[in-house]
Amino acid sequence: MTTASDYSEKIPNNVELREDRRLQRALESWQPNFLNWWESMGPTLPTQDVYLRTAINVGREGWAHFGHVAMKDYRWGIFLAERDPGRQIGFGAHKGEPAWQKVPGEYRADLQRLIVIQGDTEPASVEQQRNLGATAPSLYDLRNLFQVNVEEGRHLWAMVYLLHAYFGREGREEAEELLHRNSGSLESPRILGAFNEETPDWLSFYMFTYFTDRDGKYQLGTLKESAFDPLSRTCEFMLKEEAHHMMVGTTGVDRVVERTAQVMVENDTDDVAALGAIPLPVIQKYLNFHYSVSLDLFGGETSTNVANYFTAGLKGRWLEGRRQDDHQLTSDSIMVDALDDAGDGQPSIGQLEVSALVGLNTDLRREYIADCQGGVNRWNKILAGAGLPHRVKLPHIAFNRRVGAFAGIEASPDGELLSADEWAARQGEWLPTDVDKTYVRSLMRPVHERGKIAAWIAPPRNGINGKPFDYDYVHLA
Ligand code: BYC
């Protein structure tokens, strides 16, 4: 079922907003608050206009428009994927029943919580990235940063629409709160850990868009399965935009590794810091950090919350429809990573059999880890292609964890358990130190000239939307 896209309204949408004046008014009164937030917490680099993709519809025959727009005039709209009127719930206790068009009273609180957590991450990432424009390595990268930022803004709109349309006064209050919490704030931080970390340099940005946006891909994938049809349709469309964010991260790290490898080979040295590239051990440390904080975003290895979400039909599994089981899991089990304590006070890292429902965060995290390994394989291929024996790798699942089974212990990237003292003495070998961060930051000088690129990163293979690398992607103010 297609609903025509209305692009003439204050808030572009394909949800027939004009048919519901109350909702339209409520969202129109949230809009200036959003714009104030964007002005005060969004990108700081002044620009005239940016070559951006704007979502204008959801159909197969083209859903986006590309063109130079002033960022404050970006048309943040509300777009849900097309409705399938015959859609049935695919898992949990309500499997086979028609998908819900309204929120069932008994699941209201849980659904609202999931939507708020999802919504909270979107503006958080914009806040984390707000100063990066000042040090962009090229106009192409600058444009991609802003594209990611405006789309995260649109994803906030997507969640706020659901809160306003389906959760009454409480939903409207939560929508306000989404603009009041801030990344890194001491009084009112963002909800999930990774979204209070800094993104102070472009290596962090690429790692964030590779590892943390990828958590977004997997979480949205599970919410796309939701019995609550408006949430499912919203997430389906968000995933379409998310693909570009993945591309920015994947090719961003590719290009850093490529440049480092090139400088290593040309100068026959591992010590590329003196030559203006980012040393491989520093890249590995950034990878270790962003991967481990992103693993935390999946919640505990075992969780009754996730068991309840699944049974209720609120949150499914990654590619639920392709799973070859009963989609209810009431009598299945799964091995999850766990800390074994043999009773002698010497814990070790092992596995534990638990009910499949309680282990669903682990199930999703494993899908994610397999996907992350794909990036590592790519980067190692670049190193191998340059004739280098060096390799990067994903650290052990227990490394640097602050949530879940390993929150209370420390482990090396190889999974060796460490005492607190050993960890304190050695963590600088594995996580970026102040010296590493200062070095990376020292490379972050803006290259805002058309067709030019910073020396620590290789140019991209392709431009955006068929445009060349040296296109005028951004006009600075
Ligand atoms: N930090 O039962 P547990 C994205 C809390 S990213 C702080 O194991 P559950 C994006 C947890 O809330 C995707 N707290 O957790 C990316 C719970 O609190 P309560 C965002 C944490 O509920 C880049 C307690 O610990 N979307 O889109 O099974 C740019 C016990 O935990 C953390 C979602 O996450 C943490 N890391 O799973 C832009 C989807 N982890 O109940 C955007 C919605 C857990 O004791 N969220 N806690 O007060 C969910 O599905 C789940 O809430 C979680 C946690 C997966 C986050």
Side-chain angles (χ1 to χ4, degrees):
M1 192 189 282
T2 319
T3 312
S5 167
D6 190 341
Y7 212 69
S8 62
E9 295 282 329
K10 255 188 175 170
I11 305 169
N13 70 90
N14 73 343
V15 292
E16 295 181 329
L17 208 48
R18 66 161 71 218
E19 302 297 314
D20 188 340
R21 288 288 175 199
R22 252 180 84 135
L23 176 59
Q24 186 176 33
R25 269 200 304 275
L27 285 166
E28 283 181 1
S29 71
W30 186 81
Q31 191 173 35
N33 301 345
F34 169 81
L35 291 172
N36 283 340
W37 166 82
W38 179 265
E39 284 295 311
S40 60
M41 297 306 290
T44 52
L45 184 74
T47 49
Q48 282 178 52
D49 58 28
V50 183
Y51 185 70
L52 290 174
R53 167 175 87 175
T54 306
I56 50 167
N57 209 336
V58 298
R60 255 167 234 102
E61 51 310 314
W63 58 274
H65 167 79
F66 282 84
H68 281 97
V69 285
M71 263 203 294
K72 66 177 178 31
D73 298 333
Y74 189 79
R75 312 250 11 233
W76 285 280
I78 299 166
F79 296 100
L80 274 62
E82 289 173 22
R83 182 171 160 205
D84 167 5
R87 178 166 178 256
Q88 294 184 343
I89 301 170
F91 61 93
H94 301 285
K95 182 171 175 290
E97 294 172 21
W100 312 320
Q101 301 307 324
K102 295 229 153 31
V103 178
E106 68 266 43
Y107 302 136
R108 194 180 175 84
D110 278 347
L111 259 177
Q112 184 175 306
R113 180 174 180 275
L114 287 172
I115 291 168
V116 166
I117 293 179
Q118 180 62 49
D120 191 68
T121 63
E122 315 288 0
S125 68
V126 175
E127 292 165 357
Q128 287 170 296
Q129 296 163 14
R130 65 189 304 244
N131 293 318
L132 288 173
T135 57
S138 73
L139 288 184
Y140 162 90
D141 289 282
L142 185 58
R143 177 263 166 213
N144 284 348
L145 167 73
F146 291 150
Q147 183 70 59
V148 168
N149 292 162
V150 291
E151 284 175 350
E152 300 302 6
R154 205 200 68 72
H155 293 178
L156 170 61
W157 269 97
M159 293 301 122
V160 164
Y161 163 72
L162 294 176
L163 289 170
H164 273 232
Y166 297 96
F167 294 89
R169 191 166 57 82
E170 265 186 60
R172 291 194 293 278
E173 285 168 7
E174 288 288 6
E176 283 303 317
E177 285 307 305
L178 288 171
L179 299 175
H180 292 149
R181 282 186 293 272
N182 289 142
S183 177
S185 157
L186 287 179
E187 309 83 59
S188 179
R190 291 296 175 184
I191 299 171
L192 299 177
F195 294 90
N196 289 302
E197 300 288 347
E198 284 183 307
T199 313
D201 58 68
W202 280 75
L203 181 58
S204 299
F205 174 64
Y206 299 130
M207 291 290 178
F208 182 96
T209 39
Y210 187 83
F211 289 108
T212 307
D213 276 87
R214 193 166 306 271
D215 167 52
K217 168 181 159 185
Y218 281 84
Q219 299 292 349
L220 290 174
T222 64
L223 296 176
K224 183 181 97 128
E225 305 290 342
S226 183
F228 179 43
D229 204 40
L231 174 61
S232 162
R233 291 166 55 210
T234 303
C235 291
E236 185 175 339
F237 187 63
M238 288 162 74
L239 277 164
K240 218 168 182 164
E241 288 165 314
E242 205 60 43
H244 175 261
H245 308 187
M246 305 282 105
M247 186 285 282
V248 169
T250 310
T251 57
V253 181
D254 282 0
R255 291 160 54 211
V256 177
V257 172
E258 184 184 333
R259 179 65 186 147
T260 295
Q262 197 179 21
V263 176
M264 284 169 77
V265 170
E266 276 170 11
N267 297 278
D268 194 19
T269 178
D270 292 357
D271 185 14
V272 294
L275 300 160
I278 304 181
L280 272 183
V282 175
I283 296 175
Q284 177 70 61
K285 289 185 194 181
Y286 273 66
L287 182 162
N288 290 347
F289 174 75
H290 287 273
Y291 175 68
S292 55
V293 298
S294 301
L295 288 183
D296 277 346
L297 293 174
F298 291 83
E301 275 60 26
T302 58
S303 160
T304 48
N305 282 344
V306 78
N308 293 337
Y309 295 154
F310 184 86
T311 304
L314 312 185
K315 184 177 174 185
R317 285 171 294 175
W318 179 248
L319 300 180
E320 183 68 47
R322 295 206 202 154
R323 305 282 183 132
Q324 303 291 330
D325 53 35
D326 69 357
H327 303 277
Q328 291 182 317
L329 310 179
T330 44
S331 47
D332 297 355
S333 63
I334 179 181
M335 299 300 288
V336 298
D337 304 295
L339 208 54
D340 286 338
D341 188 351
D344 56 0
Q346 296 287 339
S348 61
I349 296 171
Q351 294 227 319
L352 176 70
E353 186 169 1
V354 297
S355 116
L357 288 168
V358 163
L360 283 172
N361 283 344
T362 294
D363 178 81
L364 189 62
R365 187 170 12 241
R366 284 186 183 148
E367 297 284 345
Y368 167 82
I369 291 172
D371 195 354
C372 289
Q373 185 59 44
V376 167
N377 296 346
R378 271 176 86 100
W379 306 323
N380 283 336
K381 234 173 160 171
I382 293 171
L383 293 170
L388 293 168
H390 309 67
R391 297 293 178 263
V392 289
K393 65 174 190 163
L394 296 177
H396 191 274
I397 190 154
F399 172 78
N400 194 37
R401 294 290 303 282
R402 299 293 169 256
V403 172
F406 306 114
I409 56 110
E410 299 297 354
S412 73
D414 292 327
E416 180 199 347
L417 279 175
L418 302 171
S419 68
D421 287 347
E422 282 173 303
W423 170 257
R426 297 190 62 190
Q427 61 165 309
E429 294 171 35
W430 307 311
L431 290 171
T433 60
D434 287 343
V435 172
D436 299 324
K437 291 186 211 171
T438 305
Y439 173 68
V440 172
R441 275 193 220 194
S442 77
L443 298 177
M444 300 295 128
R445 297 206 199 93
V447 180
H448 289 164
E449 260 171 283
R450 212 171 145 168
K452 295 271 169 58
I453 183 113
W456 54 269
I457 185 168
R461 302 226 178 285
N462 303 300
I464 292 298
N465 194 34
K467 304 287 184 214
F469 170 65
D470 64 1
Y471 186 63
D472 57 340
Y473 288 110
V474 181
H475 296 123
L476 296 175

